[in-house]
Structures are given as C-alpha cells and as structure tokens.
Amino acid sequence: MLYRENKDGIMQPVDMSTFGNATTLNEQEDFISTLYDQLERQDIPVELIHSESAPGQLEVVLSYSDDILQLADDIVYARETLTNVAKQHGMKALFLPKTSMMAAGNGSHLHFSFREAGSQHCNAFSDPSQPTGISRKGESFIEGLLDHLPSLLSLSIPTVNSFRRVGPGCWTGHKLGWSTEDKDSPVRVCIDLNTQQASNVELKLSDATANIYLELATILAAGMEGIKNGKVLRPMMDDENNALPLPQSLQESLDSLKKDELLLSILGDELSTAYIAVRELETRTETTLEEEVAAALNRA
C-alpha cells in the first residue's frame, strides 16, 4: 500500500481506488515506470502490476521460477526496491498484513506447480483424466500442504497482525481445506483460462512478515512429504463440507508447530527453539492496530 503525507501532515493512502481501477495506475505512472525499470535492471521478471482492493494498494506479480533460492532472493530485493522507489517519489510503501479493519489487507500469495524430471514443458500438476483435474502427485502435494497447514501458518503469517487478516470474507480462507478458483479458500487450485485445466495451486495465507526462505522450505517439505507418501487428497470444500477451522491466532499456530515433527526437523532444534520463543514473546506484547500502522510508517 502506498501512503503519502497530506496537507495537514497526516499519512494516508495515496487514493481511494478499488480493484482493477485505473486511478492508481494513472496517478502513479511515474512511480510504476521507475519501479518496473529498477526491477528489470536486477533481472527480476515482473508479469503484472495492477491496482488491488484497498485504498492505495498495488499488486506486483513476479514471474514463476524453478530456482527456489533465486525466487526467494527476488522477492526480498523486489520489496526493498519498492520501498526505496516509493521514497524517491515522496511516498511510503507498507507491506503490513492489515492496516485497517475496514479494508482489505496485504498478502504475499504463493503459487506452486511442477514438471516431471527431464521434461521442460509438461505441467505435471494437471491431469484431465482425474475427477479433480489434478494429477495424483498434485493431489498428494496439496494434501501434504493441508496436513501441515495449521503449523505452516506460524511461518507464512507469523505475526499477531497477520491474523487480523484471517477470517470469513477476508479472501484468505479460515478453514482447513482446498477448492477450485475460490478466493475464500486458503489453498486454491487455479484454472488456466486457455486450456481450462488445473495449472497450479495457490497458498493465500502468506504475507510479507514471513521469512520467505523458511516459508518456502517448510511449504515444499510438506508438499513433498505428501508426494513421497502418496497421500490421498481430501474432498474439496463446499457449503456442506464441515471443514475444521484453521488456527485463529499466532499462538494457536505455534502450538501446532511445536508438535509438527516434519517442520521442526526442517528448521532444526536450535532455530526452531529460538523461532518459537521469539514469536511467543510477540504474542504477549499487546499492540493496537493503530500503533502497528504508525510503527510501520516510521520504518518505511
């Protein structure tokens, strides 16, 4: 989200536009052009920049890559670049998951697909012969993700503020399940508009407060465990499917992480102990949303 100081010295969103509105794109054309050029110079490929649902909100979509470490680096560099280009244009960029309870928050959605080893073009996530349209390996990957999702949230949305963005109608999902092209499902199977086939799976419960390296490592470990063990995908969520609720707080997710042997083994004893201790301390630090926003603006 882009903020600028008004004539009274108060920081506020640069506009009140909504999703797909051209206002932000037109009024921030110089900023967007500079941002795109700076990212291009760093070989960070951008697929799309468009206005999102909250005031002053833009979405920057980076291209997919099979180089996981490079992708993680690109995400970090892109955020740093966005922050500094905003400053050059007299603005501040906020990645805080929730800045207002009356507006959409900021996420960092992640999309996953895969190919068979040795194949350069075939998307192994899709299989039209399957009832779900998803390959067996794709189904197992999703089930592995779902099995560990309560714990993964402590790494993908790892702050108290992050959980302000979770709940009905927040377009993030709040129940443990998956669906196809459902914006309110935490794990969403995406359909290619050209082929009408499943193309990838999206994790919506992810934001910029996460350590992207730890987040990707644990997500991939969960999905790969699903493939290795041939896990069977649970039925898709629907109005009649009573899916279990996801953790409603950071502490609930941390409690789940403490019992998750796979994720703890990925983190290692020393890191997992320190990580849980630091995050639990944060859960005991009471801060209002207004204080969180003020602190984020001071840092930006």
Side-chain angles (χ1 to χ4, degrees):
M1 289 179 181
L2 297 174
Y3 278 68
R4 179 181 282 123
E5 194 174 279
N6 66 15
K7 61 182 181 180
D8 298 319
I10 299 172
M11 296 297 298
Q12 61 183 25
V14 295
D15 59 55
M16 298 302 291
S17 68
T18 54
F19 177 82
N21 195 305
T23 300
T24 302
L25 301 181
N26 292 333
E27 293 184 354
Q28 308 307 328
E29 181 179 0
D30 289 344
F31 161 76
I32 293 171
S33 296
T34 304
L35 174 64
Y36 185 87
D37 290 343
Q38 290 295 325
L39 293 174
E40 189 176 46
R41 289 184 184 184
Q42 298 172 76
D43 294 322
I44 299 176
V46 177
E47 284 192 359
L48 181 67
I49 299 177
H50 68 90
S51 58
E52 258 293 349
S53 300
Q57 189 176 48
L58 287 174
E59 180 175 19
V60 179
V61 181
L62 302 186
S63 299
Y64 70 90
S65 172
D66 57 8
D67 186 334
I68 302 300
L69 281 178
Q70 185 61 59
L71 179 61
D73 287 346
D74 286 350
I75 291 171
V76 172
Y77 295 143
R79 288 173 184 157
E80 289 296 315
T81 302
L82 205 159
T83 297
N84 285 284
V85 172
K87 287 181 180 178
Q88 293 172 14
H89 287 78
M91 299 182 290
K92 291 193 174 186
L94 286 196
F95 301 95
L96 196 66
K98 201 69 172 174
T99 59
S100 168
M101 298 309 293
M102 302 303 293
N106 292 308
S108 183
H109 300 175
L110 300 171
H111 292 253
F112 300 88
S113 61
F114 47 84
R115 299 189 301 265
E116 291 290 355
S119 170
Q120 294 299 312
H121 304 291
C122 181
N123 183 352
F125 183 79
S126 175
D127 184 351
S129 69
Q130 288 284 99
T132 61
I134 308 167
S135 68
R136 293 194 182 277
K137 287 182 179 177
E139 290 183 345
S140 294
F141 182 92
I142 294 173
E143 186 60 29
L145 186 61
L146 291 171
D147 275 350
H148 295 277
L149 191 54
S151 307
L152 283 168
L153 297 187
S154 65
L155 294 142
S156 66
I157 51 170
T159 63
V160 173
N161 182 278
S162 298
F163 279 84
R164 299 186 194 274
R165 185 174 152 260
V166 180
C170 289
W171 303 330
T172 58
H174 61 287
K175 290 188 175 182
L176 182 56
W178 69 281
S179 189
T180 298
E181 290 297 357
D182 183 350
K183 295 288 188 180
D184 207 26
S185 175
V187 177
R188 177 175 75 111
V189 172
C190 302
I191 302 298
D192 186 295
L193 293 177
N194 294 318
T195 65
Q196 292 300 305
Q197 295 180 8
S199 59
N200 62 85
V201 62
E202 176 189 25
L203 176 63
K204 299 176 71 67
L205 286 168
S206 171
D207 66 45
T209 64
N211 179 313
I212 188 61
Y213 301 94
L214 299 183
E215 182 182 13
L216 287 175
T218 49
I219 289 172
L220 291 174
M224 292 304 293
E225 183 199 48
I227 293 176
K228 179 181 178 181
N229 295 332
K231 291 184 176 180
V232 177
L233 182 61
R234 68 194 67 189
M236 183 168 60
M237 284 196 305
D238 57 38
D239 292 338
E240 315 229 337
N241 187 335
N242 295 319
L244 294 172
L246 285 166
Q248 297 299 297
S249 69
L250 176 58
Q251 186 59 62
E252 283 185 38
S253 185
L254 288 168
D255 289 340
S256 181
L257 177 62
K258 293 175 187 177
K259 298 176 285 188
D260 194 313
E261 294 182 3
L262 174 68
L263 299 194
L264 291 176
S265 70
I266 296 299
L267 296 173
D269 290 342
E270 187 174 348
L271 178 55
S272 62
T273 299
Y275 184 88
I276 291 170
V278 170
R279 292 303 185 191
E280 286 193 320
L281 178 61
E282 292 175 359
T283 67
R284 297 192 292 270
T285 304
E286 294 188 11
T287 308
T288 66
L289 178 58
E290 292 72 21
E291 290 170 334
E292 290 172 334
V293 173
L297 285 169
N298 285 334
R299 293 193 301 267

